[in-house]
Amino acid sequence: MTIERPNRPAMVRKPGEYFQRDRDIHPPAFTPGYKTSVTRSPQKALLSLEQSLSEMTGPVFNHNALGELDHDMILNYAKDGEPIGQRIIVHGRVMDESGKGIPHTLVEAWQANAGGRYRHKKDTYLAPIDPNFGGCGRCLTDEDGYYFFRTIKPGPYPWRNYINSWRPAHIHLSIFGPSFSQRLITQMYFEGDPLIDICPIVKTIPDEDAIKRLIAPMDLNASVPLDCRAYKFDIVLRGRRSTLFENRLEGN
Amino acid sequence: MVQPLNYFKETPSQTAGPYVHIGLAPAYAGFDIFENNFSNVVAGPNTKGERIKVKGRVIDGTGAPVRDVMLESWQANSEGKYNHPEDSQDKAVEDDFLGWGRICSDFESGVYTIDTIKPGSVPGRNGAIQAPHISLWIVARGINIGLQTRVYFSDEASANAKDPVLNFVEQADRRKTLIAERSEENGEVIYTFDIHLQGEQETVFFDV
Ligand SMILES: [Fe+2]
C-alpha cells in the first residue's frame, strides 16, 4: 500500500541569526556614577536590526597572526629578568549562550602591573613601570574553546572619578567569536577584592548576578604547585538560532 | 515546576577604558611587543577596487572630539563578498583582503582614518540588496558597551535610496548621519564620516 504524502521537501535546520542581546545584563550607555559616560552616551534609542550577512560574518584570525609568547605576559616583555608580582594563570572557556565552545577565536588581554601602573604614555600614576612587564597578551582558543594566559596579578590603581576612587584589580579582555555582532570587551575581577562592590565602573552593570559573572574564583586545581596560582574565567558570547527551512534545491 | 531552560547568559560588557591601546594597539600606547600588529589597513595591494580613506572624528556631547577612541571596521570586498566561510556567494576574495581593520584616533586631533577599498553591494535579508557599506564598532573610556553603526557612501545615492537598513530609519533626516561625504584631496579619495555620540546630530546606532 502506498502512503499518500504531499510533495514537499523535508524541513532541515541551519544556523541562523544570533540570539537577541539581553540588554538588561549589560550596562546602559548613560551611567552618571561613572562620570565619563555622561557626555559619551547616546541618548536616542538604538535601532534594532534584523541581522544580515553583514552582522553574521566577522574577521577570522589564524595562528600566523600570533607570536609564540603572545599569551605569556610573564615572558613576552621580559628584558633582564621576569616581572615582579604574584604569578598567575588565567584560564577558561569561551562559549556561546547554548554552552557550545567557540573554537579558534581571538582573545586579547591587557592590564596594569603588580603595582597598578600601565605601560601607556597617558598613565602618570606614581607606581613605577616594571621594566620586564608589557601588560598585554593574546591567544586563540583551542578546538573546544579553551584559552589560557600566564601573567602577574595586577594591582588596584587610583583614577579620576571621585577624589578617592580606586579600580579593583582587573584584566581587560577582548573577544571576537565568528560574527561581528558578538564582539565584546569586558573586565575580569578577582575573588575577594573589597574594591569590587564600590567601583563605579562595576556598578554600571544593573544586575547583581551579571556582576558576579565577572569575578574569577581562584582555581587551585589549575595551579602549578610551587610556581603559579590560577583563576578561572569563562566567557559567554551570544548564542545562535537554528533556522528551520524546507530543503529546496538552489534556484527553486 | 518546569525543566530549566539552561541557557548561559552573555558575559556583561565593561568599558574598554583609557588604556585600550595597550592590549589592542600597543604601538599607540608607546611600545613595541608583538611581531604582528593589527592595523587600519583593511586591504593589501592585491585587492581590487577603488582605494579610499574613511576619515572623521567621534564627537562627544560637548562638541569635543573623543581623542582616545578605538574603532573596528568590517566590510565586503569590491565584489560584495565577505572574507568569511559563511559567505557562500560564488565570488573570490583576494588573499590580502582582510575586510577588518582596527583604528585608533590621533591623540591630538581625534581624527581616525580607515585605509581600505570601497566595498560592493552585499546581499540583504530575503533577497534584498544592501547598498555598499562598512560596519563600525566603537569603544572608548566612558562607552560602557561597544556602539555599532554603518558607513554608507554619498556617491551611491540610488543604491542608498533602496537600502533596507537606511530605509528602516524612520526619520529621513537621521539617515544622513550614516552617509559619508566623498571628496578628493591630493589625488586621494576621502570619505568624511563624523560620529556624534549625542545631540541633535546624534549618529544612528544599531542593536544588531
Ligand atoms: Fe584598567
Side-chain angles (χ1 to χ4, degrees), chain A residues 68-132:
Chain A
E68 225 168 80
L69 292 177
D70 283 8
H71 67 292
D72 189 343
M73 291 184 248
I74 288 182
L75 292 183
N76 71 13
Y77 203 75
K79 304 287 178 201
D80 50 10
E82 294 190 6
I84 302 283
Q86 300 177 28
R87 300 158 68 82
I88 59 167
I89 290 164
V90 173
H91 77 123
R93 224 159 59 96
V94 179
M95 61 181 125
D96 72 10
E97 289 169 288
S98 304
K100 203 167 139 236
I102 300 180
H104 315 301
T105 203
L106 183 63
V107 182
E108 297 165 286
W110 69 101
Q111 62 167 93
N113 67 22
R117 174 75 183 268
Y118 281 101
R119 184 176 285 281
H120 191 291
K121 58 186 174 194
K122 298 279 178 190
D123 188 0
T124 55
Y125 180 35
L126 53 80
I129 289 276
D130 184 329
N132 296 308

Side-chain angles (χ1 to χ4, degrees), chain B residues 55-73:
Chain B
K55 258 187 182 182
R57 296 177 309 162
V58 178
I59 296 161
D60 74 13
T62 72
V66 176
R67 295 180 301 174
D68 52 7
V69 72
M70 195 197 84
L71 304 93
E72 288 181 357
S73 66

Side-chain angles (χ1 to χ4, degrees), chain A residues 89-232:
Chain A
I89 290 164
V90 173
H91 77 123
R93 224 159 59 96
V94 179
M95 61 181 125
D96 72 10
E97 289 169 288
S98 304
K100 203 167 139 236
I102 300 180
H104 315 301
T105 203
L106 183 63
V107 182
E108 297 165 286
W110 69 101
Q111 62 167 93
N113 67 22
R117 174 75 183 268
Y118 281 101
R119 184 176 285 281
H120 191 291
K121 58 186 174 194
K122 298 279 178 190
D123 188 0
T124 55
Y125 180 35
L126 53 80
I129 289 276
D130 184 329
N132 296 308
F133 191 67
C136 63
R138 53 192 192 179
C139 65
L140 292 176
T141 57
D142 73 9
E143 54 279 9
D144 301 317
Y146 180 79
Y147 78 95
F148 73 97
F149 293 101
R150 189 167 73 146
T151 189
I152 294 295
K153 192 174 178 202
Y157 59 84
W159 61 297
R160 298 275 179 179
N161 192 63
Y162 304 116
I163 291 296
N164 195 16
S165 293
W166 293 77
R167 292 302 325 281
H170 61 276
I171 298 179
H172 297 265
L173 291 163
S174 156
I175 316 99
F176 279 80
S179 115
F180 207 47
S181 69
Q182 291 169 297
R183 193 76 183 86
L184 185 73
I185 280 182
T186 190
Q187 301 183 29
M188 177 202 114
Y189 304 98
F190 294 86
E191 176 180 19
D193 189 336
L195 291 166
I196 296 172
D197 284 346
I198 54 172
C199 175
I201 288 180
V202 173
K203 290 204 287 193
T204 60
I205 299 173
D207 177 311
E208 236 172 85
D209 283 337
I211 291 175
K212 286 186 195 143
R213 296 199 300 275
L214 293 184
I215 305 173
M218 188 175 73
D219 181 1
L220 268 187
N221 289 340
S223 298
V224 182
L226 305 177
D227 178 340
C228 194
R229 289 178 308 130
Y231 284 87
K232 182 164 180 283

